[in-house]
Amino acid sequence: MELSVALVRRVRAAHTTVLLLIMGLVGIGTLLQSVDVLRRTENYTGSSNQLRSCYRDLGRAYHRLRPRDSSPEGEAFRTRHWWLMAALVRALDKLEVPHWLGSGSLLGFFRQCELVPAMGDVDLEVAIEALWERNITVPQLVEAASAEGAQLRHQFGLPEDSLELSFGDGNGTRLDVFFSYPQANGTRYIGGIDTDTLQKYKWSYPDFELCWALLDVLRVGVPCEPSVYLRTFYGPDWASPPPEGPWNYRTGHPNVVENGRWPESMRAEVFQTFNDVQRRSRR
């Protein structure tokens, strides 16, 4: 029995080593692709070639108060969602569309230096004007993501207001892409929808210069001054462990406001769910 257990442990260790090596190779390839994209889009408003690191001292302090989830389920969450994020990053880079970690994923990266299983999913944000300037349609973006292995599951809102795309990999993994809209007062906003009532929500935040960070060798966009974004979304205590219990994104953020309501006649347009057949028909 002891020999069998030792053998199983060696097999598991070898599997983990191979997986990390593959992740590294994929990440390095995406990193080189992102560097090339940055060179081609360096004149895009608000972009910088500066790299930012997560707050490791803050992460250690946080985990002393709230231990890291090292369960098999937690590690599986990090691995699966890293792969899905890498697929979206590759697709966006090929389209030369700037992107950055959003809301909970940005919080988890700078506060805990990782993707956080308690978040339940991962978030990216995309500057909507980059699509407009490059004449990139939503179907083109979805097709680029599909070619990298990310499948569209849901679409919320419209390209002109509160657009959000939700992607998955068929195994319960979810990544939400929120499209960020410029406002006349120099701020930006992302939108959301209550799919039961069609109530619209809006999260505004100051515009920022775009820098870059490495998430397990995956190159992702981040605000150059992330604390400004995080204070806006989570308040002055963003670095502290949140209260125990469920999080309501519609009421938990200090910067959220109601933003009107979609008419019932538009429900099928502003809340769409896709299966494999429907995704193929979009092409």
Side-chain angles (χ1 to χ4, degrees), residues 1-7:
M1 177 63 70
E2 291 181 359
L3 183 60
S4 298
V5 170
L7 178 60

Side-chain angles (χ1 to χ4, degrees), residues 23-38:
M23 288 175 65
L25 292 174
V26 172
I28 290 171
T30 306
L31 170 62
L32 294 175
Q33 176 178 294
S34 297
V35 170
D36 184 55
V37 168
L38 180 60

Side-chain angles (χ1 to χ4, degrees), residues 148-170:
E148 299 295 338
Q151 303 302 320
L152 180 66
R153 301 300 181 190
H154 301 282
Q155 179 174 324
F156 307 93
L158 297 173
E160 58 268 26
D161 182 20
S162 304
L163 181 64
E164 175 191 348
L165 301 178
S166 180
F167 293 89
D169 64 356

Side-chain angles (χ1 to χ4, degrees), residues 46-50 52 207-211 222-225:
S47 293
S48 168
N49 61 1
Q50 299 178 66
R52 291 288 185 263
D207 202 355
F208 56 83
E209 185 179 17
L210 184 61
C211 287
V222 296
C224 291
E225 300 295 336

Side-chain angles (χ1 to χ4, degrees), residues 55 58 107 111 226-242 247 252-255:
Y55 302 142
L58 181 59
L107 176 65
R111 186 179 67 185
S227 60
V228 176
Y229 179 108
L230 293 172
R231 280 197 305 270
T232 302
F233 269 83
Y234 297 97
D237 298 326
W238 64 267
S240 302
W247 167 263
H253 293 285
N255 64 328

